[in-house]
Amino acid sequence: KQEVTQIPAALSVPEGENLVLNCSFTDSAIYNLQWFRQDPGKGLTSLLLIQSSQREQTSGRLNASLDKSSGRSTLYIAASQPGDSATYLCAVSNFGNEKLTFGTGTRLTIIP
Amino acid sequence: DTGVSQDPRHKITKRGQNVTFRCDPISEHNRLYWYRQTLGQGPEFLTYFQNEAQLEKSRLLSDRFSAERPKGSFSTLEIQRTEQGDSAMYLCASLLGAGGYTEAFFGQGTRLTVV
């Protein structure tokens, strides 16, 4: 059974700093990994999708990496802004099955 | 807005009442998923449809829950005889692509509170 872990559960950093969020998963037979953002009381916004054959994806100030063999992904946020404050969730879909298994998220607070 | 739409956004109901939620997926997406998210947790899979066919149901989906997707368009999720443990955010996602190229797009969710 796939299990996804996100560490830390919460993170506070001053505005302008670069930061890294971590995600690990137990079964490396995945289709892909997605990073999502969730604002309080809201739905999920897809940030980046990394296919199992890819090593990284970039979108603006966000860069996500994937090391499938070790079961790890990182989300790098450059030059953080107060608007980046949210919960960040990673999710994997296992090979042959599109349903997502989620971590419990990292609650990020950017301090102005 | 051409994203995934869910209605209502919030629902407060008394224990024992029935509730129904609606999800309108992105029009060209043929796969639709329902997830449930409790406070401080990640979403958990409930069920999914390919077109109008319900292909998988989680063990989380007790017999008080039923989902439909008539004509492969919008979907409804009904909870009968609600219990306080049903309080959660119910999220709908529609999927684009196939295999490793599959990307999930989520709606804003329906927050259910059972009092």
Side-chain angles (χ1 to χ4, degrees), chain A residues 1 31-32 34 36 38 40-54 89 93 97-105, chain B residues 9-10 31 33 35 37 40-45 48 50 56 89 91 95 97-109 111:
Chain A
K1 179 191 171 191
Y31 263 153
N32 58 42
Q34 269 187 270
F36 294 91
Q38 186 173 34
K42 301 290 180 64
L44 278 61
T45 300
S46 179
L47 297 174
L48 288 164
L49 169 74
I50 310 178
Q51 297 159 32
S52 62
S53 59
Q54 296 177 320
L89 293 154
S93 64
N97 191 326
E98 295 177 327
K99 66 184 175 189
L100 294 171
T101 302
F102 284 84
T104 53
Chain B
R9 293 288 310 280
H10 304 275
R31 283 103 76 211
Y33 281 66
Y35 290 83
Q37 184 181 27
Q41 301 298 312
E44 294 179 290
F45 168 76
Y48 92 95
Q50 180 158 325
E56 186 176 349
M89 173 79 88
L91 294 159
L95 271 60
Y101 300 89
T102 302
E103 186 169 4
F105 295 87
F106 281 80
Q108 289 297 300
R111 165 76 66 190

Side-chain angles (χ1 to χ4, degrees), chain A residues 17-70:
Chain A
E17 286 198 0
N18 304 327
L19 59 100
V20 174
L21 307 180
N22 297 294
C23 172
S24 61
F25 48 95
T26 55
D27 184 350
S28 61
I30 63 171
Y31 263 153
N32 58 42
L33 182 145
Q34 269 187 270
W35 281 94
F36 294 91
R37 168 187 173 135
Q38 186 173 34
D39 292 294
K42 301 290 180 64
L44 278 61
T45 300
S46 179
L47 297 174
L48 288 164
L49 169 74
I50 310 178
Q51 297 159 32
S52 62
S53 59
Q54 296 177 320
R55 298 284 293 182
E56 65 178 329
Q57 280 285 353
T58 298
S59 176
R61 294 182 295 108
L62 306 180
N63 175 277
S65 69
L66 174 65
D67 184 342
K68 195 174 69 166
S69 61
S70 68

